[in-house]
Amino acid sequence: MKPVTRGAGHCFRRVLLGALATALLLASSLTGGPANADDVTHRVNAGSGAAGVAVNPLTNTVYVATRTGVTVVDGKTHATRTVALGGAPAAIAVNAASNRIYASMTGSGTVAVLNGATLSVTKVAVGPEPKTVAVNQLTNKIYVATNAGVSVINGNTNSTVAIGMDRPSELVVNQASNRVYAVAGGLKAIDGITHSVTSVPLGNSVLPIRELALSQSNNKVYVASSLRSTMVLEVVDGATNAATVLYSDSNSYPTALAVDETANTVYLGRSQNSGSAALSQTGVLSIFSGSGTKHVPTGSAPGDVAVNRMTKKAYLKLGAGAGVYDPATSALSTFSTGPVNDLAVNYVTNKAYITTSQDPMAVIDGDMPTPLKNDFSGDRTSDLLAIDPQGLLWLYPGNGAGGWLPRAQVGSDWNPMTAVVSPGDFNGDRKPDVLARDSAGYLWMYPGNGSGGWLPRLQVGSGWNDMSALATPGDFNGDGHPDVLARDSSGTLWLYPGNGKGGWLPRASLGTGWNETTAILGPGDFDTDGAPDVLARDGSGTLWLHPGNGKGGWLSERRQVGQGWNVMNALVAPGDFNGDGRPDVLARDAGGALILYPGAGAGGWLPVSRVGQGWEFMRFLL
């Protein structure tokens, strides 16, 4: 939930609304309606400890809270400037109309007011331990939650008014009704003119409030409350204060709440209860709209949600990366950004900004198509490559729905190769490539040309004949470049990080004992938590999921996701083969049948289907 803002006077209001209308018109002309893809296009060094992030869509500027102050990022050039504040802001918010940025400084009991034009700073005393900041752009008032209550800053004069309250936490502003809602021993409504406080009765008053969001378009407040594993989502009518239960569950805990008020859609992040006293890692994104309710499984519970009001996409904070849910396709895609601290959306430029615990801020461009790991033909669908006994290389283009288009020969003389894998875009030209090891142990990169052919091959390694298995999980360490996993003869699994230019960074060990596995493959983010994973089959035919942590290591212990897989003599991870936004697996049985195992998200499967016959003659599938 991102706080919003306001300013005073009829003339000011008319100017502000005109500016916002212009921004919305510009946004619609830039995006052309809902975008159909997203990709991480930039990694911006926003400073050490980059945490909270806020955006001014009118100036196309991003503000990032760091350990020492605020980093100002130009949304067009990604150039940065730093503003020292003498400490780390607890929260940051923007008044787009006045071009002022407000950062709460917990240690000093102040709010630092940053002039967006000059970058000059004024500090305003607000009370002990200021945290959440919310802004009303139409009245130009700024609301700050402190340990003593809510402090109201007049944006014109920087004078303050204190409203006594019991340690408020969440604050949201309804600009249309000029009311502020606070979580403080229950739900409180603050009148924006008189500053009077009213308690809003909820149907489940015994349950502590965990998440708060509102829709100005219909004057509704959404409240998620829970105790242990019992949770209730209520909607409060802003005019009457009447509360109605929208959803309840006895086996989950609310972790995020947001509203797309332009589409009247509510997003609720939940941590699913495993049935024991402790909550499991399984998460759910519940979506409530006029067309009904959807529950989308996620590998970890969404920790925050930011909505792009123009494209209707919802950007998620996941356990090990970021995600984006597209209501137009019902697809949830994930990005290996590293563990997310905060996220914000600029709906004018159709970009999302993701700060992470690994410091570089990831920029997700909603107008940039996502590179598909196995889209060798360039038609935005996942394909398959196969090498036959004569050494001919065949391209089997996928049709995007779990089927095929006519195959084409795209190479010959591939018989000397003893291992062939598809890492994705290994050289940084946004086209998928192939890595192949020959009998002498040399590793070759075959750069794809994006239309089913190849550019001249390049040697990218030697001595790889000691490796008994290769796998390509994607960006396993979260630096934005595809990587390779390799198992040596002693059973040690190594991470070979790609440098994004067709070369390598220093390798790192991922553990020993992998010689018990008979197949290793990288499906991508199989459990939908924002980080690529590994699937491994052991000698008994059990299939194990090894969840990646998005930082080049493992998130938790492996878990079983299948058995009886020893009847399969080839396993392939082509990415999303059936077009539902989730990574899939193709497996060939002893009879030469090719079976599609569609991923269901959160580490599960949908019903399998046969997608081919006569594949027993192929030496390699990738």
Side-chain angles (χ1 to χ4, degrees), residues 328-365:
T329 60
S330 298
L332 174 62
S333 305
T334 60
F335 302 93
S336 182
T337 60
V340 176
N341 287 331
D342 197 15
L343 45 82
V345 172
N346 186 336
Y347 58 88
V348 174
T349 61
N350 195 19
K351 291 182 179 179
Y353 298 90
I354 317 293
T355 59
T356 75
S357 61
Q358 294 171 222
D359 283 347
M361 180 176 68
V363 182
I364 299 178
D365 190 334

Side-chain angles (χ1 to χ4, degrees), residues 63-138:
Y63 300 91
V64 183
T66 69
R67 288 194 177 96
T68 59
V70 172
T71 298
V72 183
V73 183
D74 186 301
K76 183 177 182 179
T77 66
H78 303 109
T80 62
R81 291 173 290 174
T82 59
V83 179
L85 297 179
I92 189 168
V94 172
N95 186 333
S98 66
N99 198 15
R100 296 292 188 272
I101 301 87
Y102 297 88
S104 58
M105 309 300 294
T106 302
S108 63
T110 64
V111 166
V113 183
L114 176 65
N115 185 313
T118 65
L119 300 187
S120 60
V121 176
T122 302
K123 292 197 175 181
V124 179
V126 293
E129 302 293 317
K131 296 181 179 66
T132 304
V133 181
V135 186
N136 187 325
Q137 293 185 137
L138 296 183

Side-chain angles (χ1 to χ4, degrees), residues 296-602:
V296 179
T298 57
S300 59
D304 198 2
V305 180
V307 179
N308 186 326
R309 67 180 73 174
M310 298 304 298
T311 65
K312 312 305 179 190
K313 291 182 180 181
Y315 294 82
L316 315 178
K317 172 184 178 180
L318 297 174
V324 56
Y325 176 79
D326 187 350
T329 60
S330 298
L332 174 62
S333 305
T334 60
F335 302 93
S336 182
T337 60
V340 176
N341 287 331
D342 197 15
L343 45 82
V345 172
N346 186 336
Y347 58 88
V348 174
T349 61
N350 195 19
K351 291 182 179 179
Y353 298 90
I354 317 293
T355 59
T356 75
S357 61
Q358 294 171 222
D359 283 347
M361 180 176 68
V363 182
I364 299 178
D365 190 334
D367 294 323
M368 182 63 71
T370 310
L372 300 180
K373 177 183 176 183
N374 269 41
D375 179 21
F376 297 102
S377 60
D379 62 355
R380 304 291 304 149
T381 61
S382 292
D383 309 318
L384 197 66
L385 291 173
I387 300 175
D388 69 16
Q390 287 72 45
L392 300 180
L393 182 67
W394 295 92
L395 169 65
Y396 289 81
N399 65 5
W404 308 99
L405 300 176
R407 75 173 187 172
Q409 183 184 335
V410 292
S412 59
D413 298 323
W414 283 70
N415 269 337
M417 300 305 172
T418 59
V420 189
V421 291
S422 54
D425 175 21
F426 191 69
N427 64 359
D429 65 355
R430 299 189 61 81
K431 301 177 182 68
D433 308 312
V434 164
L435 294 174
R437 180 188 64 194
D438 65 22
S439 56
Y442 292 110
L443 192 66
W444 299 90
M445 177 178 66
Y446 289 80
N449 67 4
S451 56
W454 311 101
L455 301 176
R457 74 174 187 174
L458 298 170
Q459 183 183 329
V460 294
S462 60
W464 285 73
N465 43 5
D466 184 51
M467 299 301 174
S468 57
L470 301 180
T472 50
D475 178 17
F476 194 72
N477 64 358
D479 66 354
H481 310 304
D483 307 314
V484 171
L485 305 181
R487 181 188 62 193
D488 66 20
S489 56
S490 70
T492 299
L493 188 67
W494 295 93
L495 168 65
Y496 286 82
N499 65 4
K501 302 175 183 178
W504 309 98
L505 301 175
R507 73 175 187 173
S509 172
L510 292 177
T512 59
W514 285 79
N515 43 8
E516 68 177 25
T517 61
T518 58
I520 304 172
L521 65 159
D525 183 12
F526 190 71
D527 61 5
T528 327
D529 69 346
D533 308 307
V534 169
L535 291 172
R537 180 186 63 189
D538 65 21
S540 69
T542 301
L543 192 66
W544 299 92
L545 170 65
H546 296 259
N549 65 4
K551 298 182 290 185
W554 307 110
L555 182 65
S556 59
E557 293 295 321
R558 69 177 187 176
R559 73 174 191 266
Q560 183 178 332
V561 293
Q563 56 186 358
W565 284 71
N566 45 2
V567 300
M568 302 298 178
N569 56 34
L571 301 179
V572 187
D576 174 23
F577 187 71
N578 63 358
D580 66 355
R582 307 180 186 96
D584 307 312
V585 169
L586 292 171
R588 182 183 63 190
D589 66 19
L594 196 63
I595 311 297
L596 170 64
Y597 288 81

Side-chain angles (χ1 to χ4, degrees), residues 179 181 198-201 218-220 235-244:
R179 283 177 178 256
Y181 293 89
T198 303
S199 292
V200 179
N218 61 10
N219 196 17
K220 305 291 185 185
V235 54
V236 178
D237 188 306
T240 65
N241 282 344
T244 304

